[in-house]
Amino acid sequence: MLLVVNELPNPRMLIVNKKTGETEVDKIIPYEGPNGTHIQNRRFRMTAQGTYLMPYLAPGKVTEFDKDFNELWTYDIGRLKPWAAVRLKNGNTLISDEAGDLVREVRPDKSTAWEFRIAELPEEYRLAGTQSCVRLENGNTILCARGDNGRTPQLVEV
């Protein structure tokens, strides 16, 4: 399966069967926020439970939808920009925030389980523009960034 998301005035999600080339799901993604494709969303993901996690940049929130795009859960991160959200095996959600230069693990009740701010790194290892994150099996987290055009690290493991 291939998951495709486009950012148009009406953002859409497609799931395409890679073997047959047929579109199996074609849904409009609910979006309330300013117009402009670059500010809508990033790193749309399907969870192991078959739900969808959508980080909304401009509204500053992460929303989980069921297969019919009914809202199941929303975490409002505030004025910041959630770039990626990953559902962890423990049920928590790992969220990277580009504007806030942080990664936060949030419990289903929306309380913070763990948070790491880029400013906590030694200056020579600080990332510019934290955009994604991955939780490793050993419990460490890899923070990913655009690297300030090659002037700073692009991956750091904490």
Side-chain angles (χ1 to χ4, degrees), residues 3-16 23 25-31 40-41 44 54 69:
L3 177 68
V4 178
V5 174
N6 67 4
E7 296 177 323
L8 298 169
N10 297 309
R12 290 174 49 200
M13 180 211 65
L14 304 170
I15 296 180
V16 178
T23 300
V25 177
D26 183 347
K27 295 275 191 180
I28 298 292
I29 300 169
Y31 176 73
Q40 287 178 1
N41 56 66
F44 183 94
M54 172 65 81
F69 281 93

Side-chain angles (χ1 to χ4, degrees), residues 63-120:
T63 301
E64 179 180 14
F65 298 101
D66 68 13
K67 65 182 176 87
D68 296 317
F69 281 93
N70 296 305
E71 188 175 308
L72 299 173
W73 180 83
T74 295
Y75 178 75
D76 185 356
I77 200 161
R79 322 174 272 128
L80 306 177
K81 292 183 185 176
W83 193 273
V86 180
R87 180 61 43 80
L88 302 174
K89 289 179 183 178
N90 65 6
N92 293 348
T93 303
L94 191 63
I95 301 169
S96 63
D97 188 308
E98 182 184 40
D101 279 332
L102 63 87
V103 174
R104 181 179 294 155
E105 180 180 341
V106 180
R107 295 180 186 98
D109 69 2
K110 302 179 186 176
S111 64
T112 299
W114 176 81
E115 181 176 284
F116 186 83
R117 294 186 174 271
I118 300 307
E120 296 176 52

